[in-house]
């Protein structure tokens, strides 16, 4: 059977492998990842010789390689160090810096972690303390015990010198990863190795620009660097010139496929200019590979560069390809075909990939059908080796191999026809021992060398520590003599074949994330144009909305209620498993009709594409989660008691439940309430919001199509009069309501005034949601999460961020970045892929928000307002905006739209800030960005909110993972999508049966006689 990788390498074919089944990809790769029986022992012998040599001669020093080898990521100490290195240098204030140090160095077990390995111990002690040794007095025991020494350090944190010394240590750590802070300094350091034939590829630190200003600054850095490297080469005329590596996410603040048009317009000219500048100096320029969802765009850019750059004989343009991606072989074929068709040599740097954990998490969160990367380390190795063979066979391609793995190097050396032409590349500071040996044996080598300030080092640093600190990493095991060399030189194919399944069982594929309880809802990869283009076309088919749904007559409610009572009698007698079958079918129907539902959400509800997709997924999750929970919980339970008596409890439906839902989640909240009430055995009268009746009507049709009997579910569209009338229905068994606090209060009072039953009232209401940031937080992460939390869904989520609380010392920096990032948002037609923020629900909502803006204009300070496009004049748009308000108390009520309020607080006044948030009386969502565990614990303990989010956005609660709902003015609980929700829709009945009534206790006699 021909390999699909052999087919015409068009972009569509590449996309076909994006999330392809792992086994399928690997079965095509395995044959070309193996060595012949003659080659294999030769490669193993070479790698073994190197490893033995390294283990014999390596002198432990306070280097990064040693640090990683010692601590790894499985120890608390490793993680503590990583966190300290990541955060300490950016903290501007003493109190937070001290808290972080205490947090990371105080509680861990350094003595055990460092062990008794004498040279190492000396070195680490030296590392941590040499810098501080001048500052504190240590006695002999303390000197020989790193734990004691660090403990003493921490106890003296009040002394400024100590803090500075630890900062110095972290600076030292950062220095191990960065060749120099300036390109001039870096070139100076490169001179000697370059004379010995080592080439450098300089990486100007900085990635993921959030603002146009950042992107411009990074561009200038690249431009200066190319100029400097070019001049350096002109002077020294090294045989193998050094070059530059470029991250495209640094050159554009929205380097993502959804913004393809802008990227092509705004970034391409800069990139072409950089390439031509490199071409003029005849130095190599390689484009780094970043997250998987950027690959498609990077390949499109490669094609454009081939068209636009005037190469004039330059052969230095290169692209990095990550072998851990399933698309790697097809991407190589594509680049090779580009090179061939333009008759232009290209370089390809083959790397294994640096974002593995991010890719796995992202795919799980987004509910994709599979991962874009392999799930076993040996599979990544197989892919790397198969790709290497492919590269070596390609004409018009000059391969470069980025790896620190001795066996990988030996394998490639073995399959190469002309090893003298190969180039191997390493990261600065990593596995110098191996590369020294390789150089002695005549290998061409290159060092990827980061240059820049420590404050932009962090993303790079953390990736390096993560990828090399894992137990599976070659570098982590290199110095561990407990790991036999045979393990390090093992054939990855043999290793893979020793496993029963290709996928790693510990890495759950997204569809199985909640197995065995239920299937995960299906997500779509909106970064894949081969998914989004047909999806958009299908959604467009439903653009013409059906006619408006009329309100029912209040008089018809009594009939509806009577029918619903009949429905209850029938439905509650069904076994719960049968009710569950219907709801699971409903979940499947939602997925089947996804495009139509998304169209309704977009064109009736103003949702963007991503929000509409997220909402369909949430609704599907409700169907499946509540079905699974009910089947587990609505069973007859035996209760303990004396012998001769059987005590059993069971949950049964209450009667006719009213479900009253808002317009902001016209599918997910609407259906969440309904499915909970139904699965518990109730019949339902559901009143959707007036603004979103079309969604509700379509859902009602699907509920019936799923097999829920007509008398069991009733749709009651209408305005507040219908809502009031429903609440007053005599004999109603309960109400589930989501909406404003004031309406909830009205319902509560109406229920209290009613004669007859006292029934459950489950209310989810508004929030005055705040996010607290401390100065240990990473501004980029804060800004991303603030934008998502405050502006996604045009701020019309109950969970949305309303008040951002910033520490006075870090506020200006964060606000400048936030303002820049807000300028990059796109407001407009929610049906377009590039739209970030759609309209608000209607003109009344717009008007109310604009009135609030008028007050802000008078009494607050504007931070930023996103520009509205001309088309916004045609709809109820409100520009995303951020304002600094005089105090938290200034904000009197929930502002339900894309308006963010900012307050500053003094670090020492964190407790008072929390008290002010609590004093609003609301308690829905809260957020915190901090690297300090003790702060996390403090805020978690003291902030009274139903859902607390740490170092992430505050929206998008996932059914079953983040049960959702507030306290205080924000709702009654229990939480939707949580384990305590369904019982509230049910009554509990207990039967106590005296089994001895008919005579004696036979079972006791039998049991006792055994
Ligand atoms: C010159 C150079 C340039 C680089 N440029 C880039 C770049 O542009 N983009 C980029 O992403 N990285 C880049 N890297 C980083 C590179 O991806 C890592 O250094 C590399 O993965 C380490 O591989 P190794 O062969 O040294 O180590 P090894 O220890 O042999 O392999 C580590 C690899 O295995 C993967 N892995 C670990 N566990 C699993 C698992 N369970 N399933 C699947 N895979 C697993 C890791 O993600 C990592 O890719 C570059 C590296 C070098 C040397």
């Amino acid at each position: 059977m021909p390999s699909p990788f052999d087919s015409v390498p068009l972009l569509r074919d590449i996309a076909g492998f994006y999330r392809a089944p792992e086994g399928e990809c690997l079965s095509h790769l395995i044959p070309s990842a193996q060595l012949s029986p003659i080659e294999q022992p030769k490669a193993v012998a070479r790698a073994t010789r190197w490893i033995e040599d390294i283990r014999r001669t390596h002198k432990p020093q306070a280097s990064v390689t040693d640090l990683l080898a010692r601590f790894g990521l499985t120890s608390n100490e490793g993680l503590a160090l990583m966190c300290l290195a990541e955060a300490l240098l950016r903290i501007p204030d003493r109190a937070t810096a001290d808290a972080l140090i205490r947090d990371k160095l105080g509680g861990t077990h350094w003595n055990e972690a460092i062990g008794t390995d004498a040279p190492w111990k000396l070195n680490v002690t030296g590392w941590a303390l040499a810098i501080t040794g001048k500052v504190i007095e240590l006695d002999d025991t303390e000197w020989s015990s790193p734990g004691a020494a660090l403990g003493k350090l921490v106890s003296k944190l009040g002394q400024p010198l100590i803090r500075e010394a630890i900062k110095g240590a972290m600076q030292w750590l950062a220095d191990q990863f960065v060749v120099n802070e300036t390109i001039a300094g870096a070139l100076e350091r490169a001179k000697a190795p370059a004379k010995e034939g080592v080439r450098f590829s300089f990486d100007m630190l900085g990635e993921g620009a959030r603002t146009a200003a950042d992107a411009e600054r990074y561009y200038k850095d690249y431009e200066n660097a190319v100029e400097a490297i070019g001049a350096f080469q002109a002077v020294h005329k090294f045989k193998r010139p050094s070059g530059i590596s470029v991250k495209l996410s640094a050159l554009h603040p929205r380097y993502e496929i959804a913004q393809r048009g802008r990227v092509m317009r705004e970034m391409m000219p800069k990139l072409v200019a950089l390439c031509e500048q490199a071409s003029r100096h005849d130095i190599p320029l390689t484009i780094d590979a970043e997250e998987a969802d950027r690959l498609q765009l990077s390949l499109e850019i490669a094609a454009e560069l081939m068209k636009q750059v005037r190469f004039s004989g330059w052969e230095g343009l290169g692209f990095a390809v990550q072998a851990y991606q399933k698309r790697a072989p097809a991407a190589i074929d594509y680049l090779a075909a580009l090179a061939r068709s333009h008759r232009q040599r290209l370089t390809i740097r083959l790397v294994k990939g640096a974002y593995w954990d991010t890719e796995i998490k992202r795919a799980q969160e987004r509910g994709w059908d599979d991962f874009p990367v392999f799930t076993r380390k040996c599979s990544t190795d197989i892919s790397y080796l198969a790709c290497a063979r492919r590269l070596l066979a390609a004409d018009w391609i000059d391969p470069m191999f980025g790896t620190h793995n001795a066996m990988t190097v030996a394998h490639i050396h073995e399959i190469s026809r002309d090893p003298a032409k190969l180039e191997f590349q390493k990261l600065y500071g990593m596995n110098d021992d191996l590369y020294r040996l390789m150089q002695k044996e005549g290998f061409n080598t290159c060092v990827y060398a980061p240059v820049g300030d420590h404050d932009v080092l962090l993303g790079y640093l953390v990736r390096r520590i993560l990828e090399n600190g894992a137990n599976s990493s070659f570098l982590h095991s290199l110095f561990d003599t407990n790991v036999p060399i045979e393990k390090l030189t093992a054939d990855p194919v043999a290793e893979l074949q020793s496993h029963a399944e290709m996928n790693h069982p510990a890495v759950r594929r997204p569809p199985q994330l909640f197995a065995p309880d239920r299937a995960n809802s299906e997500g779509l990869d909106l970064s894949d144009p081969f998914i989004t283009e047909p999806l958009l076309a299908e959604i467009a088919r439903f653009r013409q909305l059906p006619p408006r749904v009329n309100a029912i007559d209040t008089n018809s409610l009594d009939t509806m209620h009577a029918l619903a009572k009949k429905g209850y009698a029938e439905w509650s007698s069904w076994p719960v498993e049968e009710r569950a079958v219907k709801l699971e079918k409903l979940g499947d129907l939602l997925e089947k009709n996804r495009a139509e539902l998304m169209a309704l959400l977009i064109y009736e509800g103003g949702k963007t594409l991503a929000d509409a997709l997220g909402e369909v997924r949430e609704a599907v999750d409700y169907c499946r989660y509540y079905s699974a929970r009910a089947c587990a919980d609505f069973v007859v339970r035996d209760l303990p008691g004396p012998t001769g008596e059987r005590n059993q409890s069971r949950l049964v439906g209450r009667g006719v439940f009213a479900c009253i839902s808002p317009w902001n989640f016209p599918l997910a909240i609407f259906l969440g309430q309904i499915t909970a009430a139904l699965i518990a055995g109730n019949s339902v009268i559901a009143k959707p919001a007036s603004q979103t009746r079309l969604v509700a009507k379509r859902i009602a049709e699907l509920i019936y199509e799923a097999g829920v009997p007509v008398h069991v579910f009733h749709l009651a569209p209408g305005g507040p009069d219908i809502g009031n009338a429903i609440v007053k229905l005599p004999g109603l068994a309960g109400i589930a309501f989501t909406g404003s606090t004031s309406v909830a209060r009205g319902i509560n009072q109406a229920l209290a005034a009613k004669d007859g039953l006292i029934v459950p009232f489950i209310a989810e209401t508004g929030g005055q949601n705040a996010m607290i940031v401390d100065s240990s937080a990473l501004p980029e992460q804060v800004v991303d999460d603030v934008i998502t939390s405050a502006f996604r869904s045009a701020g019309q989520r109950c969970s949305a961020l309303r008040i951002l609380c910033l520490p006075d010392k870090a506020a200006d920096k964060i606000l400048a970045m936030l303002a820049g990032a807000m300028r990059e948002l796109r407001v407009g037609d929610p049906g377009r892929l590039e739209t970030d923020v759609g309209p608000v629900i209607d003109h009344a909502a717009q008007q109310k928000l604009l009135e609030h803006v008028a007050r802000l204009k008078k009494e607050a300070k504007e931070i930023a307002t996103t520009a509205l496009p001309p088309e916004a004049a045609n709809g109820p748009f409100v520009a995303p905006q951020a304002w600094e308000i005089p105090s938290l108390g200034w904000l009197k009520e929930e502002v339900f739209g894309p308006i963010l309020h900012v307050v500053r607080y003094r670090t020492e006044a964190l407790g008072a800030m929390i008290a002010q948030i609590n004093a609003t009386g609301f308690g829905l969502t809260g957020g915190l960005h901090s690297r300090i565990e003790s702060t996390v614990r403090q805020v978690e303990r003291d902030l009274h909110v139903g859902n607390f989010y740490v170092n992430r956005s505050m929206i998008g609660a996932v059914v079953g993972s983040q049960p959702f709902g507030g306290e205080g003015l924000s709702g009654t609980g229990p939480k939707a999508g949580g384990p305590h929700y369904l019982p509230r829709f049910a009554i509990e009945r207990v039967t106590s049966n005296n089994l001895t009534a008919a005579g004696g206790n036979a079972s006791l006699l039998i049991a006792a006689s055994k």
Side-chain angles (χ1 to χ4, degrees):
M1 189 176 117
S3 152
F5 291 121
D6 294 328
S7 63
V8 191
L10 295 174
L11 285 174
R12 184 177 289 280
D13 295 320
I14 302 176
F17 293 103
Y18 198 161
R19 297 161 305 276
E22 197 151 345
E24 210 174 279
C25 297
L26 287 165
S27 62
H28 294 297
L29 295 173
I30 284 172
S32 49
Q34 282 176 305
L35 294 173
S36 71
I38 298 174
E39 294 162 338
Q40 176 71 11
K42 280 163 63 186
V44 170
R46 183 184 292 274
T48 304
R49 177 162 51 74
W50 281 335
I51 298 168
E52 279 172 350
D53 196 322
I54 294 169
R55 283 187 173 177
R56 201 176 50 248
T57 58
H58 178 75
K59 296 207 172 37
Q61 346 158 2
S63 76
V64 170
T65 306
D66 287 272
L67 210 68
L68 291 169
R70 172 59 56 171
F71 291 115
L73 288 173
T74 38
S75 73
N76 289 337
E77 291 70 24
L79 292 172
L81 263 188
M82 180 174 100
C83 199
L84 195 58
E86 190 265 345
L88 186 61
L89 299 180
R90 67 167 169 265
I91 299 180
D93 60 295
R94 270 183 269 153
T96 312
D98 287 355
L100 182 78
I101 295 170
R102 201 171 292 116
D103 208 67
K104 303 303 167 205
L105 295 185
T108 42
H109 299 94
W110 293 97
N111 282 343
E112 293 96 278
I114 289 164
T116 50
D117 167 356
W120 169 258
K121 191 161 130 186
L122 267 184
N123 276 308
V124 170
T125 313
W127 162 76
L129 303 177
I131 310 155
T132 55
K134 299 188 194 80
V135 188
I136 51 168
E137 291 286 315
L138 296 173
D139 62 28
D140 283 352
T141 24
E142 286 165 335
W143 259 114
S144 60
S145 156
L150 289 171
K152 185 152 186 179
L153 262 183
V154 169
S155 72
K156 304 229 163 179
L157 261 177
Q159 299 178 15
L161 278 175
I162 305 273
R163 185 181 324 108
E164 287 316 308
I166 295 179
K167 274 195 175 182
M170 290 305 125
Q171 193 99 22
W172 171 87
L173 185 60
D175 273 340
Q176 306 308 299
F177 290 90
V178 181
V179 66
N180 203 275
E181 296 202 22
T182 67
I183 187 70
L187 287 168
E188 194 50 42
R189 287 184 73 172
K191 228 187 258 170
K195 271 190 197 135
E196 289 172 25
V198 178
R199 219 165 61 75
F200 282 76
S201 186
F202 295 103
D203 162 39
M204 303 312 293
L205 280 174
E207 58 190 89
R210 301 306 196 274
T211 68
D214 281 346
E216 187 57 26
R217 186 162 48 84
Y218 291 143
Y219 172 67
K220 290 275 173 245
D221 284 351
Y222 283 129
E223 209 179 38
N224 293 340
V226 172
E227 214 47 46
I229 302 165
F232 178 76
Q233 175 59 17
V235 172
H236 297 286
K237 304 209 168 19
F238 294 118
K239 209 166 114 216
R240 301 173 57 247
S242 290
I244 190 154
S245 292
V246 175
K247 281 199 173 51
L248 297 185
S249 70
L251 288 181
H252 198 279
R254 299 297 304 271
Y255 184 61
E256 54 196 86
I257 192 98
Q259 307 296 332
R260 176 206 265 141
R262 286 184 61 196
V263 170
M264 291 296 178
R265 261 191 327 275
E266 297 165 13
M267 191 191 76
M268 268 318 276
K270 289 183 176 176
L271 191 56
V272 170
L274 269 184
C275 289
E276 292 183 350
Q277 194 191 355
S279 149
R280 280 195 299 282
H281 291 292
D282 200 17
I283 61 164
L285 181 151
T286 307
I287 294 178
D288 280 344
E290 301 184 64
E291 293 88 343
D293 58 10
R294 306 194 206 250
L295 176 63
Q296 165 79 25
L297 186 54
S298 300
L299 293 174
E300 291 181 24
I301 281 174
E304 273 307 301
L305 285 178
M306 296 301 274
K307 280 192 227 150
Q308 295 187 29
V309 173
R310 279 163 299 179
F311 284 89
S312 318
W314 179 54
E315 294 184 346
L317 179 60
F319 298 91
V321 172
Q322 296 152 321
Y324 67 11
Q325 283 210 49
K326 294 170 178 172
R327 286 174 294 176
I332 288 174
D333 289 354
Y334 178 76
L335 291 169
L338 270 183
R340 203 178 307 117
S341 66
H342 287 267
R343 306 191 71 72
Q344 168 62 48
R345 291 200 79 75
L346 285 180
T347 58
I348 292 185
R349 169 187 289 155
L350 187 63
V351 300
K352 290 183 188 168
Y355 306 79
W356 184 78
D357 55 320
T358 308
E359 301 297 355
I360 295 291
K361 182 167 187 228
R362 232 175 232 187
Q364 286 182 340
E365 278 171 350
R366 296 178 186 178
W368 291 350
D369 46 354
D370 211 325
F371 298 113
V373 295
F374 296 106
T375 56
R376 290 185 189 274
K377 159 79 165 72
C378 56
S379 306
T380 291
D381 286 337
I382 289 171
S383 172
Y384 192 91
L385 299 172
C387 288
R389 207 182 272 278
R390 221 174 186 83
L391 283 176
L392 291 170
D395 47 3
W396 297 98
I397 294 294
D398 296 314
M400 311 182 291
F401 300 99
T403 178
H404 310 103
N405 184 324
M407 187 58 203
T408 306
V409 175
H411 182 117
I412 293 169
H413 183 267
E414 217 46 58
I415 58 174
S416 160
R417 259 180 275 134
D418 191 356
K421 282 202 178 147
L422 298 179
E423 176 172 296
F424 289 91
Q425 307 190 331
K426 70 185 277 294
L427 298 174
Y428 180 79
M430 304 267 187
N431 211 353
D432 293 333
D433 301 273
L434 173 65
Y435 270 69
R436 218 171 283 128
L437 292 173
M438 286 166 57
Q439 225 180 308
K440 266 198 213 152
E441 295 181 25
F443 282 73
N444 296 318
T445 62
C446 170
V447 179
Y448 181 98
V451 179
D453 291 343
H454 292 140
D455 62 346
V456 281
L457 163 75
L458 305 166
Y460 176 87
L461 178 84
V462 170
R463 257 201 322 280
R464 292 294 84 88
I465 297 180
L466 276 173
E467 93 203 1
N468 295 293
N471 279 351
S472 61
S473 126
F474 178 85
L475 217 50
H476 184 68
S477 306
L478 179 59
F479 303 111
D480 185 351
T481 43
N482 293 322
V483 178
I485 294 185
E486 296 72 49
K487 191 150 189 277
L488 292 175
T489 57
D491 173 13
V493 173
E495 194 198 326
L496 181 69
Q497 287 169 343
S498 73
H499 296 294
E501 36 180 338
M502 300 260 189
N503 290 62
H504 199 303
V507 188
R508 284 201 179 196
R509 286 178 56 239
Q512 272 103 48
L513 198 56
F514 303 109
D517 293 347
R518 63 185 158 111
N520 193 3
S521 56
E522 201 177 88
L524 292 176
D525 180 356
L526 297 181
S527 74
D528 183 347
F530 298 101
I531 288 181
T532 50
E533 278 165 26
L535 176 70
L536 285 168
E538 225 189 320
I539 288 174
R541 284 203 303 125
F542 299 101
R543 176 151 202 164
Q544 192 62 42
L545 292 179
R548 194 180 150 68
V549 177
N550 291 327
I552 57 158
D553 190 331
T554 28
N555 296 331
S556 59
L557 266 183
D558 287 338
T559 322
M560 195 180 265
H561 191 203
L563 290 173
K565 281 187 194 158
K566 262 200 213 156
Y568 163 67
E570 177 196 343
W571 180 245
S572 60
S573 68
W574 287 30
V576 65
E577 293 79 10
E578 285 181 28
R579 296 198 297 262
V581 167
K582 302 299 174 201
L583 291 196
E584 289 197 9
K585 171 99 191 286
L586 175 59
D588 296 345
L589 283 172
L590 296 175
E591 286 189 334
K592 193 169 151 211
N593 293 278
R594 177 170 45 212
E596 180 188 359
L597 294 172
M598 286 177 69
L600 288 170
L601 291 167
I602 291 168
Y603 296 115
E604 187 187 43
K607 299 255 163 177
T608 59
L609 210 62
D611 287 341
L613 175 62
E615 186 159 356
V616 176
R617 289 194 64 204
E618 188 178 343
V620 173
D621 282 335
Y622 277 130
C623 293
R624 294 180 184 157
Y625 175 77
Y626 289 143
S627 297
R629 278 243 62 100
C631 290
D633 295 345
F634 283 53
V635 289
V636 176
R637 283 188 198 284
D638 287 325
L639 304 171
T643 179
E645 183 176 281
R646 189 171 62 212
N647 297 304
Q648 292 181 316
S649 94
R650 64 197 191 284
L651 294 169
V652 293
R654 287 179 165 272
V656 180
F657 232 87
C659 295
I660 304 176
S661 54
W663 48 261
N664 67 333
F665 280 90
L667 169 52
I669 295 182
F670 177 68
L671 202 53
Q673 297 175 343
I674 293 169
T675 46
L678 286 178
I679 195 70
N682 304 286
S683 61
V684 168
I685 296 177
K687 191 200 98 56
S690 292
Q691 295 90 332
T692 49
R693 289 181 199 167
L694 292 176
V695 177
K697 178 166 174 281
R698 185 68 187 110
I699 296 302
E701 289 164 5
L702 293 176
I703 290 174
Y704 298 132
E705 192 181 331
V708 174
V710 280
H711 290 163
V712 173
F713 175 74
H714 302 266
L715 185 67
D721 53 330
I722 295 292
N724 290 337
I726 291 174
V727 172
K728 288 188 185 136
L729 285 173
L732 203 61
I735 297 183
F737 167 81
T738 302
S740 72
T741 311
S742 60
V743 175
R745 201 174 277 127
I747 295 175
N748 200 27
Q749 282 160 357
L751 282 178
K754 245 166 91 168
D755 279 341
L757 310 178
I758 298 170
V759 298
F761 176 43
I762 305 163
E764 263 182 71
T765 53
Q768 198 62 293
N769 311 315
M771 178 190 282
I772 299 173
V773 175
D774 78 10
S775 61
S776 70
L778 181 66
E780 284 82 355
Q781 251 173 26
V782 172
V783 166
D784 288 350
D785 291 337
V786 166
I787 296 240
T788 303
S789 308
F791 303 131
R792 208 139 153 208
S793 305
Q796 301 171 114
R797 294 182 183 231
C798 341
S799 54
L801 169 63
R802 309 289 174 210
I803 309 163
L804 174 64
C805 310
L806 294 177
D808 50 5
K809 296 279 187 327
D812 289 342
K813 183 171 179 187
I814 293 172
L815 290 178
M817 193 180 287
L818 177 66
M822 285 175 64
R823 270 179 225 118
E824 300 305 320
L825 288 174
R826 290 297 168 262
V827 184
D829 178 352
R832 285 204 220 111
L833 188 59
E834 64 268 28
T835 298
D836 300 302
V837 182
V840 297
I841 188 67
D842 55 21
H843 287 284
Q846 181 196 32
Q847 194 47 40
K848 198 162 173 227
L849 290 165
L850 293 181
E851 281 163 21
H852 180 70
V853 172
R855 184 178 167 221
L856 284 165
K857 281 186 177 156
K858 279 194 230 132
E859 299 171 30
K861 184 173 152 211
E862 186 178 5
I863 295 159
T865 300
T866 304
L868 287 181
E871 74 193 39
N874 306 327
F877 285 90
V878 173
Q881 48 203 285
W883 296 82
E884 191 167 342
I885 54 174
S887 69
L888 202 141
W890 180 91
L891 194 61
K892 294 291 179 226
E893 55 177 27
E894 184 185 28
V895 177
F896 210 69
I899 300 175
L900 174 69
H901 307 87
V902 178
V903 290
R904 295 179 194 236
Y905 72 95
R906 280 181 304 108
T907 300
E908 312 77 71
L910 175 64
M913 187 78 246
I914 296 172
Q916 281 186 56
I917 299 169
N918 288 339
T920 65
F922 289 96
L924 190 50
T925 62
L928 173 68
H929 266 265
S930 172
R931 292 288 188 268
I932 302 171
E933 259 314 301
S934 55
T935 305
V936 175
R937 283 196 301 274
Q938 178 192 356
V939 181
E940 183 183 35
R941 185 192 61 218
D942 295 344
L943 189 67
H944 302 158
V945 291
N947 289 68
F948 179 48
Y949 296 99
V950 182
N951 293 329
R952 49 154 289 167
S953 82
M954 291 165 50
I955 60 166
V958 175
V959 173
S961 298
Q962 292 124 10
F964 185 77
E967 57 195 58
L969 293 175
S970 296
T972 59
K975 286 173 179 295
H980 309 298
Y981 198 55
L982 294 183
R984 194 79 183 108
F985 288 80
I987 37 183
E988 187 177 6
R989 288 189 176 142
V990 173
T991 303
S992 195
N993 189 348
N994 178 7
L995 301 175
T996 62
N1001 188 343
S1003 61
L1004 176 64
L1005 290 169
I1006 293 166
S1009 63
K1010 277 187 187 156

